Amino acid sequence: MSETHQSLVFSGMQPTGNLHLGNYLGAIRNWLKLQELHRCIYCVVDMHAITVEQDPKLLAQATREVAAAYIASGVDPARSIIFNQSQVSAHAELAWIFNCVARIGWLNRMTQFKEKSGKNREAMSVGLFTYPVLMAADILAYRATHVPVGEDQKQHVELARDIAQKFNNDFGVPNFFPVPEPIITGPATRVMSLRDGTAKMSKSDASDYSRINLTDDADSIVQKLRKAKTDTLPLPETEKDLEGRPEADNLISIFAAFGEQSKQSVIDQFRGAQFSTLKSALSDLIVAKLVPIADEMRRLLSDPAEIDRLLKKGADEARALAAPVLADVRRVVGFVG
Ligand code: TYM
């Protein structure tokens, strides 16, 4: 067993409804830089999606849409591996073994399960509860070392770290799995709702005005920003003045992320101005970036057979990478054959 693990990046996104600005700034955009330097695997996690009820036809369509969004945003299928999770059975196989490594107490602490289940815990699927274990399997089936995600996935990556360490300890195989590092970078690791600066921008928010979807046209983007909630003060002078002003903080962070600049430099540019000035400059930035991505997504989706071909090619590559890891795992665990 090697002492050090080759650097490998793994991340994924659920095919459940519209991808939005949070997914783009918190995840996809960081993936693009990483593929310049590292071997990267970017997965469409359809098995995660069925932890809550899905319409099978819509799931298939959403899977192709997420793959199209990756490619249209600049993930290069010739350089990075793009595939949908359910095509590679290693994920499910390793998840079962990890279900026997992870502790119920660890999962009970997962805040996302608590948020998603609310008072209805008993009626949730078992899959929703053990979802972070499947996520650990996604990462470790490839012995991935780095996991670029938004802030909301940090706790899940920490669980993957705990599972890797416990497996290595329990089976007496130090360094068998790497302990994967989350990569949570940029000024927009937690993009907030446009209607409420204290709530995360999310696919499941009932109001479409709460988020900018990757496929929104220019008019909708301008409208949604115009209607975005603000406070009544002029824009601040310093970053410290953003405290207690979540909507201002959110818009300035989004501007900084799109403009590839620091929050302070955005503040310097707009200090004392009205929100309308910032909103209109921000609309221009977002439209210039997202509208070409939406156009390219539409073009790609007009040929679903080609997307399916790319996903199959990616799945073949992923399967080949995971196979020796799973063979090692089987041996370590004591499975015969
Ligand atoms: P998902 O599909 O909810 O989100 C995909 C990615 O988008 C990020 N994200 C955000 N970033 C900033 N601001 C927001 N408002 C925002 N909303 C979403 C998420 O942090 C994530 O990076 N469990 C994962 C998918 C997954 C995965 C994995 C990720 C499954 N297996 C293995 C990494 C490695 C999820 O549900 O992400």
Side-chain angles (χ1 to χ4, degrees):
M1 217 96 30
S2 67
E3 278 310 292
T4 52
H5 293 275
Q6 234 182 351
S7 90
L8 194 144
V9 173
F10 184 98
S11 199
M13 210 161 268
Q14 293 197 57
T16 46
N18 289 321
L19 294 187
H20 53 72
L21 208 59
N23 301 128
Y24 181 73
L25 294 178
I28 302 183
R29 228 181 50 145
N30 296 328
W31 299 0
L32 305 181
K33 293 176 196 140
L34 289 165
Q35 72 175 355
E36 306 288 326
L37 297 170
H38 304 275
R39 185 93 176 107
C40 296
I41 305 178
Y42 296 129
C43 187
V44 184
V45 293
D46 49 2
M47 285 159 62
H48 277 89
I50 63 162
T51 54
V52 295
E53 206 174 316
Q54 297 295 334
D55 174 329
K57 279 201 194 69
L58 295 182
L59 179 66
Q61 173 62 16
T63 298
R64 295 187 184 106
E65 269 174 31
V66 174
Y70 289 179
I71 298 167
S73 303
V75 178
D76 177 358
R79 195 185 309 188
S80 299
I81 297 179
I82 301 175
F83 73 106
N84 57 311
Q85 187 185 26
S86 60
Q87 290 205 60
V88 180
S89 58
H91 294 246
E93 194 178 339
L94 189 57
W96 177 256
I97 293 166
F98 284 171
N99 269 327
C100 304
V101 173
R103 304 289 97 178
I104 290 176
W106 298 0
L107 291 175
N108 274 335
R109 285 195 283 278
M110 294 295 114
T111 54
Q112 204 162 75
F113 177 74
K114 288 183 202 166
E115 280 162 24
K116 285 196 178 168
S117 58
K119 291 200 180 75
N120 232 355
R121 189 187 148 99
E122 299 293 310
M124 294 295 120
S125 73
V126 176
L128 189 69
F129 184 64
T130 64
Y131 167 118
V133 176
L134 177 58
M135 186 163 155
D138 299 339
I139 298 165
L140 294 169
Y142 306 94
R143 292 199 168 106
T145 54
H146 293 88
V147 185
V149 283
E151 179 67 40
D152 62 341
Q153 294 299 319
K154 186 166 181 234
Q155 195 185 34
H156 291 163
V157 181
E158 280 164 0
L159 189 98
R161 293 168 61 84
D162 290 343
I163 290 176
Q165 278 167 324
K166 185 160 166 40
F167 183 97
N168 293 351
N169 285 337
D170 287 358
F171 291 99
V173 281
N175 213 31
F176 181 91
F177 283 120
V179 179
E181 294 283 342
I183 303 184
I184 300 173
T185 51
T189 54
R190 187 172 175 83
V191 177
M192 307 309 275
S193 157
L194 298 180
R195 307 299 290 162
D196 174 1
T198 64
K200 193 181 69 172
M201 184 178 284
S202 123
K203 294 169 189 169
S204 53
D205 195 313
S207 165
D208 200 48
Y209 273 86
S210 69
R211 63 185 161 259
I212 291 175
N213 303 306
L214 275 193
T215 48
D216 280 345
D217 61 20
D219 283 350
S220 315
I221 294 172
V222 171
Q223 275 299 323
K224 286 178 177 180
L225 278 171
R226 195 175 288 151
K227 292 212 158 116
K229 185 177 170 199
T230 58
D231 54 43
T232 51
L233 301 171
L235 287 161
E237 303 275 328
T238 67
E239 219 174 313
K240 195 158 181 338
D241 296 340
L242 285 174
E243 274 169 31
R245 301 185 65 187
E247 285 83 16
D249 194 355
N250 192 35
L251 292 176
I252 286 171
S253 300
I254 296 173
F255 195 107
F258 270 106
E260 310 238 13
Q261 57 190 109
S262 67
K263 271 160 77 169
Q264 186 56 54
S265 83
V266 180
I267 291 169
D268 291 343
Q269 199 176 328
F270 292 99
R271 63 158 50 110
Q274 298 302 309
F275 272 98
S276 54
T277 314
L278 172 68
K279 284 177 165 185
S280 119
L282 182 55
S283 297
D284 291 346
L285 269 183
I286 298 181
V287 166
K289 193 75 199 179
L290 292 196
V291 169
I293 293 178
D295 288 345
E296 180 60 6
M297 273 180 74
R298 264 188 292 278
R299 192 189 69 74
L300 291 164
L301 287 164
S302 69
D303 188 356
E306 175 61 10
I307 295 186
D308 292 1
R309 195 192 63 75
L310 285 170
L311 287 172
K312 180 167 182 319
K313 173 179 147 295
D316 290 343
E317 290 168 3
R319 219 176 281 118
L321 286 178
V325 180
L326 265 290
D328 280 354
V329 169
R330 292 174 56 83
R331 188 177 41 74
V332 165
V333 171
F335 289 162
V336 173

